[in-house]
C-alpha cells in the first residue's frame, strides 16, 4: 500500500462544497475532499448515506446543485459539453452488477468505449479488448456472453471495459456486492494490481470492512443524518482514534479491526 503523504503531484480529484440531490431533495451538502494521484480512496458509510449518489454526481451521471469537481486540475462541472466528453476518457467506471450488455460477448463489451472514443480499426480494437480481458484474468473467455460466466467474472469483465481507454482514474460502485468472501478478496487484489501496474487512481464506494481495511489508503465517511462527511483519514486510525461514536460503531462492527 502506498504512502499518500509521499505523493507530490497535484490531486487527481478535487471536490469543493458539493451539494447533491434529486428532484429538489438534498441528499448531501457542502461535501469537500481531494483524492491524491495513485491513491486507493474509499467512500464509506451505512445504507442510505449517499455513497452511490455522491459517486454518480462525481462522474457526471447527475449534475450537482452547487459546488465543483475537478479531475487532474481541470473543472468537470464547469466544462463545456465538448470538454466534458474529452475528460470522460480520463476515467473509467465499474458499476455494481458489471452493467454488461447481455447480447454482446465479453470482447464486444470491452470494445464499446474504444469504438465510441477512438478512431482505431476493428482489428486494433479487438486486439486491445482481448488484452484488457487477459489483464483481469479472463483470457480465453473473450467470446463468452455475460449469462455464461459467474458474478465475479462479470465484475472482472466490467473492470476490463473500465480500463479499455487506459484511464487515469477508475471508480467502483460497491464492487464486492453479491460476491462471496473469496471472490471479493480476489477482486480487491486485482484492484491493487491495477494501481500498482498502471499508477491508476482508484475511488471505491463500499461498506465492506474487509476491503476497507485491506486496501484503502484513505476514506471519507458519510452520514445520512449529517448529510455529509463526518470523518476522513486512514481507516485503521479512524477506528482506533475517532471520538465520534458513529465512526467507531461502523468501523469496529464484528471485531473486524482485530481480524485484519
Amino acid at each position: 500500500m502506498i504512502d499518500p503523504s509521499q505523493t507530490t503531484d497535484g490531486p487527481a480529484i478535487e471536490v469543493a462544497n458539493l451539494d447533491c440531490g434529486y428532484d429538489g431533495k438534498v441528499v448531501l451538502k457542502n461535501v469537500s475532499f481531494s483524492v491524491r494521484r495513485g491513491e486507493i480512496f474509499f467512500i464509506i458509510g451505512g445504507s442510505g448515506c449517499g455513497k452511490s449518489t455522491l459517486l454518480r454526481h462525481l462522474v457526471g451521471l447527475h449534475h450537482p446543485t452547487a459546488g465543483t469537481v475537478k479531475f487532474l486540475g481541470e473543472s468537470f462541472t464547469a466544462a463545456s459539453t465538448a470538454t466534458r466528453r474529452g475528460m470522460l476518457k480520463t476515467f473509467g467506471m465499474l458499476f455494481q452488477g458489471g452493467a454488461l450488455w447481455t447480447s454482446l460477448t465479453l470482447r464486444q463489451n470491452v470494445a464499446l468505449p474504444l469504438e465510441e472514443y477512438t478512431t482505431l480499426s476493428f482489428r486494433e480494437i479487438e486486439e486491445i479488448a482481448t488484452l484488457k480481458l487477459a489483464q483481469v484474468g479472463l483470457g480465453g473467455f473473450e467470446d463468452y456472453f455475460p449469462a455464461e460466466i459467474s458474478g465475479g467474472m462479470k465484475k472482472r469483465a466490467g473492470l476490463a471495459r473500465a480500463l479499455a481507454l487506459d484511464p487515469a482514474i477508475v471508480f467502483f460502485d460497491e464492487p464486492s456486492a453479491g460476491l462471496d468472501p473469496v471472490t471479493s478478496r480476489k477482486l480487491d487484489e486485482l484492484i491493487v494490481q491495477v494501481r500498482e501496474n498502471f499508477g491508476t487512481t482508484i475511488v471505491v464506494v463500499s461498506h465492506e470492512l474487509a476491503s476497507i481495511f485491506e486496501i484503502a489508503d484513505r476514506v471519507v465517511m458519510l452520514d445520512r443524518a449529517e448529510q455529509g462527511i463526518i470523518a476522513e483519514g486512514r481507516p485503521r486510525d479512524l477506528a482506533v482514534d475517532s471520538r465520534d461514536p458513529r465512526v467507531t460503531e461502523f468501523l469496529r462492527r464484528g471485531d473486524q479491526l482485530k481480524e485484519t
Side-chain angles (χ1 to χ4, degrees):
M1 193 173 296
I2 67 168
D3 181 355
S5 66
Q6 300 304 310
T7 302
T8 57
D9 291 331
I13 305 170
E14 298 172 84
V15 179
N17 309 120
L18 202 68
D19 290 353
C20 307
Y22 309 98
D23 301 323
K25 178 183 178 182
V26 175
V27 177
L28 297 166
K29 56 186 179 182
N30 201 33
V31 171
S32 298
F33 62 90
S34 63
V35 182
R36 302 180 179 106
R37 301 185 191 217
E39 187 171 33
I40 298 180
F41 186 90
F42 272 58
I43 300 169
I44 68 172
S47 298
C49 70
K51 300 187 299 295
S52 292
T53 295
L54 175 57
L55 185 62
R56 292 188 181 100
H57 282 75
L58 293 181
V59 301
L61 293 178
H62 298 287
H63 194 74
T65 55
T68 60
V69 178
K70 292 182 178 180
F71 293 118
L72 305 172
E74 186 173 4
S75 177
F76 185 66
T77 45
S80 66
T81 300
T83 300
R84 283 166 67 93
R85 179 176 172 81
M87 294 176 70
L88 286 172
K89 294 187 288 186
T90 67
F91 59 82
M93 176 80 186
L94 176 61
F95 296 94
Q96 281 193 31
L100 300 173
W101 292 93
T102 57
S103 60
L104 301 179
T105 66
L106 300 190
R107 178 161 40 212
Q108 289 170 333
N109 267 280
V110 177
L112 285 174
L114 294 163
E115 295 170 353
E116 177 72 17
Y117 290 103
T118 75
T119 57
L120 296 172
S121 68
F122 176 79
R123 182 180 295 276
E124 289 171 325
I125 288 174
E126 282 219 323
E127 289 176 352
I128 293 173
T130 300
L131 173 62
K132 295 302 179 182
L133 286 166
Q135 288 175 344
V136 299
L138 290 176
F141 290 89
E142 297 86 358
D143 296 321
Y144 279 62
F145 288 89
E148 299 175 317
I149 59 176
S150 68
M153 294 170 74
K154 289 177 184 177
K155 295 289 181 75
R156 286 175 174 262
L159 177 55
R161 185 177 60 192
L163 296 173
L165 295 172
D166 295 323
I169 305 166
V170 178
F171 296 91
F172 294 79
D173 189 7
E174 298 284 4
S176 298
L179 301 182
D180 62 82
V182 173
T183 304
S184 179
R185 181 178 292 273
K186 289 180 178 178
L187 184 58
D188 285 345
E189 292 171 353
L190 183 56
I191 290 172
V192 173
Q193 288 175 15
V194 168
R195 191 271 300 277
E196 298 299 332
N197 291 340
F198 306 109
T200 311
T201 301
I202 307 290
V203 178
V204 183
V205 163
S206 181
H207 66 275
E208 299 289 344
L209 291 184
S211 297
I212 292 167
F213 283 115
E214 184 66 26
I215 69 172
D217 293 314
R218 285 191 306 128
V219 306
V220 289
M221 181 173 173
L222 305 180
D223 179 74
R224 183 175 184 177
E226 194 74 20
Q227 293 185 310
I229 296 172
I230 59 171
E232 180 175 353
R234 297 176 183 272
R236 194 171 296 275
D237 293 344
L238 293 175
V240 173
D241 300 329
S242 177
R243 297 183 180 181
D244 189 326
R246 297 169 295 183
V247 177
T248 54
E249 181 180 3
F250 180 87
L251 289 173
R252 297 187 68 88
R253 56 195 159 97
D255 290 326
Q256 181 69 38
L257 186 64
K258 297 178 182 179
E259 296 172 6
T260 57

